[in-house]
Amino acid sequence: MAERISRSTVVSALIVATSLALVFLGFTAITGAGGTTADAAPRTAAEPATAAHAMQGHVMAAAPVRSGDDPDGDGYIPANPPVTGVLPSTDIPPHRYFHEFQANCSVTHTGSVDPIVFPGQLNKSHNHTFMGNDTTDENSTTASLGTGGTACKAPGDLSAYWMPTLYNGDREVRPVGPQTIYYKSGVTDYTSVRPFPKGLRFVVGNPMQTAEEFRDHPGMVEGWECGESYHNVEIPATCPTRPDVQLNLRMQAPSCWDGIHLDTPDHQSHMAYPGAQGANQDVCPATHPVALPMIEFKMAWPVNGDMSQVRLASGMGHSFHYDFFNAWDDATLDAMVDHCIIGGLQCDARGYDENNPGEGAALDENYELP
């Protein structure tokens, strides 16, 4: 019989992780162009505030902050209802090379806000580039995102996606057109994957991570890429000057959930990456037994040639990280997960696999439920 995972057990396991939140949220440092970390003094009126110099990190608030989704401001947002009585699946279903679908979402706006790390607060974070939900701001909650619009192909995807803004000198560089955000199975038993619970949110990576931590991050795929250059920890100094060359990056998110929290103080401890268990290489840990889709950002920025002045708002290339706040229409997400991930297909944003046309599509020609 599956064992129930109590809140006290999970919270106890998060004690160390909570202290790590001070590293992620509580630092008062910035990453400079040389990649070193220096103490950050308060900005004076004489200091430049251009985009090239505004590579500030996330500065910790003076006190816990209450928000619409976290009224007591303790950083824990409980799932309602929680998912209990689950054991990680070690099953190995029939092999299917693909079990994924795409969310194709365009950039909507940029701004120095972060509704996960700094809810309700302006200019506490570095500048971010927002995709998907067009209302995302410092006051965003599960409810507010649910009433917003979207720049995703599927109208049912009201989720918010964001990452540090890329600059070329002082010029902001935004990805052009719909970007590819994969929803995959991160576990071997793709039939065990469940849709995201409404309101789940998390941060992938850390703006204060070292170059080595970025290189060895469990979500790393190919590093920074351009032309024939791959596996770069930093943004390449030069890229071929050709119309078909852009700066690219792919990074995967953790896909195992504790079943208890929609968020935790460090915005990461409620999620985990799958790991090996016996002959099965991709199994959720017992502390995070609920298999969810694995998100993979596949971003492309229209910049090439001389890249010496290209950097992130958070610092050098190894400071890349991203945020996800789930606000999908439940029925739409359920249909996409069931048809494409559990069904073992390679779907586009309609839930259609062109290599298996007989399987049909999850959504109609307007990317909506039929």
Side-chain angles (χ1 to χ4, degrees):
M1 178 179 294
E3 297 179 358
R4 292 180 62 88
I5 300 176
S6 69
R7 178 182 175 88
S8 60
T9 299
V10 174
V11 172
S12 296
L14 291 175
I15 290 175
V16 174
T18 301
S19 66
L20 291 176
L22 296 177
V23 176
F24 183 72
L25 296 176
F27 59 80
T28 54
I30 58 174
T31 303
T36 58
T37 301
D39 292 337
R43 185 179 301 282
T44 67
E47 289 182 288
T50 62
H53 295 90
M55 296 186 297
Q56 71 185 68
H58 294 298
V59 183
M60 187 174 180
V65 176
R66 296 178 175 86
S67 68
D69 286 343
D70 183 20
D72 61 4
D74 67 352
Y76 291 96
I77 301 177
N80 184 21
V83 177
T84 59
V86 175
L87 291 176
S89 175
T90 58
D91 292 346
I92 301 178
H95 176 71
R96 298 298 294 265
Y97 191 72
F98 294 104
H99 12 69
E100 65 184 42
F101 66 89
Q102 296 182 19
N104 297 145
C105 303
S106 297
V107 172
T108 55
H109 58 287
T110 61
S112 296
V113 298
D114 188 324
I116 293 178
V117 179
F118 291 108
Q121 301 170 82
L122 280 169
N123 300 318
K124 284 287 189 177
S125 74
H126 47 251
N127 197 272
H128 288 106
T129 294
F130 293 88
M131 297 173 290
N133 198 296
D134 59 15
T135 68
T136 312
D137 63 15
E138 71 279 7
N139 297 312
S140 291
T141 62
T142 304
S144 73
L145 293 176
T147 62
T150 184
C152 299
K153 285 186 177 179
D157 186 3
L158 295 170
S159 298
Y161 311 85
W162 65 95
M163 59 193 173
T165 298
L166 189 83
Y167 292 101
N168 189 358
D170 287 340
R171 181 174 64 87
E172 183 180 293
V173 180
R174 297 186 184 188
V176 177
Q179 299 299 293
T180 300
I181 301 168
Y182 290 107
Y183 282 60
K184 304 181 173 185
S185 174
V187 294
T188 300
D189 185 8
Y190 55 87
T191 67
S192 69
V193 175
R194 304 174 182 223
F196 288 118
K198 185 71 68 65
L200 181 77
R201 67 208 73 184
F202 52 76
V203 180
V204 182
N206 187 326
M208 293 301 291
Q209 64 205 352
T210 65
E212 291 73 21
E213 288 169 335
F214 177 69
R215 180 197 63 202
D216 299 334
H217 193 278
M220 184 53 59
V221 180
E222 297 284 351
W224 293 98
E225 311 171 30
C226 67
E228 301 303 316
S229 180
Y230 304 94
H231 302 290
N232 296 294
V233 173
E234 305 299 350
I235 297 170
T238 61
C239 290
T241 307
R242 301 197 313 261
D244 63 320
V245 172
Q246 298 191 82
L247 180 67
N248 297 277
L249 183 68
R250 296 167 59 191
M251 193 170 186
Q252 296 176 338
S255 61
C256 299
W257 178 43
D258 67 8
I260 305 297
H261 303 102
L262 299 177
D263 198 11
T264 44
D266 66 355
H267 315 296
Q268 296 182 332
S269 296
H270 54 308
M271 301 296 297
Y273 285 89
Q277 184 171 326
N280 194 327
Q281 296 302 302
D282 296 299
V283 179
C284 285
T287 53
H288 297 73
V290 184
L292 302 176
M294 174 177 277
I295 286 180
E296 178 181 314
F297 265 35
K298 185 180 180 182
M299 302 291 110
W301 292 265
V303 60
N304 57 33
D306 178 9
M307 306 281 286
S308 60
Q309 300 301 309
V310 177
R311 63 191 68 197
L312 296 168
S314 54
M316 296 184 69
H318 67 260
S319 71
F320 182 82
H321 56 288
Y322 66 86
D323 301 54
F324 169 68
F325 193 143
N326 175 46
W328 274 87
D329 168 69
D330 289 335
T332 305
L333 182 59
D334 289 355
M336 293 291 282
V337 169
D338 184 66
H339 185 70
C340 301
I341 296 181
I342 296 176
L345 300 175
Q346 184 184 24
C347 294
D348 61 14
R350 276 190 62 211
Y352 177 74
D353 183 348
E354 64 180 14
N355 295 312
N356 292 280
E359 298 293 336
L363 307 179
D364 64 19
E365 62 276 7
N366 296 316
Y367 298 88
E368 296 180 320
L369 286 171

